[in-house]
């Protein structure tokens, strides 16, 4: 979309030349505990750094 807006891509049909499609990756249910743990860490990290990121 940005390419169309800036003129790098001249018509929508050409987007397919730039974008490579891959099948979606599904999370493994047996890893849910690990995912949940890292998500909680991410939430803490976000809360502790959001003011610093805004300042940047």
């Amino acid at each position: 979309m940005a390419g169309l807006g800036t003129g790098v891509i001249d018509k929508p049909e050409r987007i397919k030349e730039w974008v490579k499609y891959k099948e979606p990756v599904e999370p493994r249910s047996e890893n849910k505990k690990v995912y949940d743990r890292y998500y909680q860490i991410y939430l803490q990290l976000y809360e502790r750094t959001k003011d610093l990121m805004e300042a940047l």
Side-chain angles (χ1 to χ4, degrees):
M1 299 305 288
L4 282 172
T6 59
V8 172
I9 299 174
D10 59 349
K11 51 189 167 184
E13 297 79 24
R14 297 210 45 215
I15 291 174
K16 292 179 182 177
E17 297 171 14
W18 289 62
V19 176
K20 304 297 182 222
Y21 175 79
K22 292 185 180 183
E23 289 295 321
V25 176
E26 297 293 328
R28 295 183 182 177
S29 59
E30 66 267 20
N31 292 333
K32 184 176 182 337
K33 286 184 180 180
V34 174
Y35 300 146
D36 289 345
R37 179 173 169 256
Y38 283 122
Y39 182 64
Q40 291 306 312
I41 293 170
Y42 162 77
L43 291 176
Q44 291 175 33
L45 178 65
Y46 173 78
E47 283 300 319
R48 293 177 187 180
T49 61
K50 68 181 179 181
D51 293 335
L52 293 171
M53 291 298 161
E54 184 178 335
L56 288 174

